[in-house]
Amino acid sequence: MISIAIDGPSGAGKSTLARSVAAKLGYLYVDTGAIYRTIAYHTYESGIDPKDEDRVLAALPGLDIRLTHGPEGLQHMLLNGRDVTKDIRLPEVSLRASAVSAYPGVRAFLLEMQRQLARSNNVIMDGRDIGTVVLPDADVKIFLTASAEARARRRMAELEQRGTPQPFETILREIEERDYNDSHRAAAPLKQAEDAVLLDTTALDFRQSEEALLAIIRERIKL
Ligand code: DC
């Protein structure tokens, strides 16, 4: 099985690019952020303070988290049998996901599930610690990034399109807060793996980013 690991900060375009490249290569796309978001969503709907590590960890054994793929490779998240794919994108869930993902107990709970997916499929998996922790032996590792301003601009366009616009400053602040949380936590912080290729998409549009990504992959594996 072939594994391609894509890590990087939020809003760098990982999921859009990874999904598109996975469809081109016929690989399974795995969005690991969505799995952390599913736990965060559970804390949101059941009124658990995400800062209360003990309560968050106590809730885990009661959670049945599954990942399925629909037509066009779209990933769906199931929480105790319920499709929460849309709910986990609520803005209230993003910062909660960053908070709960800092707990080693949460990361350990999800580790085997992610590795199992890579054992049984050719995968493109995106997240924060895929190349460093989840799949240290991945065939290709890419660290995908862009300036915080570029990421905030893209996110602003996305939110406008979705009909839920937000001011640029608010979006930028949230991106910077998540960057800080994700890269300063003790457990599996966001960092570039030593053997990862850096791809900075600040000055690239989608098509150019996709070409650059495919070129890196083609250089390392025979397609
Ligand atoms: O990629 P995303 O924005 O949907 O991820 C949501 C949060 O989950 C993000 O703040 C960091 C965390 N996360 C993580 O810690 N490790 C991963 N492999 C993926 C996401």
Side-chain angles (χ1 to χ4, degrees):
M1 290 295 166
I2 305 269
S3 305
I4 300 172
I6 302 186
D7 291 302
S10 45
K14 293 188 301 293
S15 33
T16 325
L17 283 166
R19 192 183 311 123
S20 169
V21 168
K24 288 210 159 99
L25 304 182
Y27 284 20
L28 186 72
Y29 166 57
V30 180
D31 169 4
T32 63
I35 317 179
Y36 289 94
R37 282 171 180 273
T38 301
I39 293 183
Y41 179 67
H42 174 73
T43 67
Y44 172 66
E45 65 172 1
S46 43
I48 297 174
D49 177 358
K51 298 215 168 67
D52 187 341
E53 181 172 0
D54 290 341
R55 278 200 68 198
V56 173
L57 296 189
L60 296 180
L63 301 185
D64 177 24
I65 296 177
R66 283 170 208 252
L67 192 152
T68 62
H69 285 82
E72 293 122 41
L74 269 189
Q75 176 178 310
H76 283 253
M77 291 308 308
L78 302 180
L79 173 61
N80 294 336
R82 192 160 44 103
D83 193 322
V84 295
T85 311
K86 285 219 174 76
D87 309 287
I88 62 172
R89 300 294 155 192
L90 289 171
E92 295 88 332
V93 176
S94 301
L95 275 175
R96 279 175 175 260
S98 188
V100 300
S101 68
Y103 302 139
V106 169
R107 307 201 71 83
F109 179 72
L110 298 179
L111 187 60
E112 187 48 33
M113 171 184 184
Q114 298 171 76
R115 288 190 173 154
Q116 182 55 42
L117 284 162
R119 272 198 291 272
S120 35
N121 302 277
N122 288 327
V123 290
I124 296 192
M125 196 175 276
D126 85 24
R128 304 293 190 286
D129 63 337
I130 309 306
T132 49
V133 176
V134 179
L135 305 175
D137 298 326
D139 301 88
V140 187
K141 297 183 187 178
I142 293 150
F143 194 80
L144 193 78
T145 189
S147 71
E149 287 75 14
R151 290 184 280 132
R153 271 196 304 277
R154 290 174 194 163
R155 178 91 183 123
M156 193 161 96
E158 193 185 311
L159 288 173
E160 262 165 22
Q161 240 180 21
R162 237 188 258 172
T164 51
Q166 277 193 28
F168 179 78
E169 282 307 319
T170 311
I171 299 171
L172 182 62
R173 223 176 312 118
E174 193 196 300
I175 282 189
E176 285 173 341
E177 190 177 338
R178 283 219 282 156
D179 282 359
Y180 186 86
N181 288 348
D182 296 347
S183 50
H184 285 78
R185 65 184 180 215
L190 168 67
K191 67 164 194 263
Q192 184 177 346
E194 268 174 29
D195 49 352
V197 181
L198 178 70
L199 176 56
D200 186 328
T201 66
T202 304
L204 307 180
D205 65 18
F206 176 78
R207 201 186 48 78
Q208 293 167 326
S209 306
E210 187 179 49
E211 270 172 19
L213 192 57
L214 277 166
I216 295 168
I217 295 170
R218 286 208 180 95
E219 218 177 283
R220 278 156 189 82
I221 51 175
K222 263 216 185 104
L223 295 171

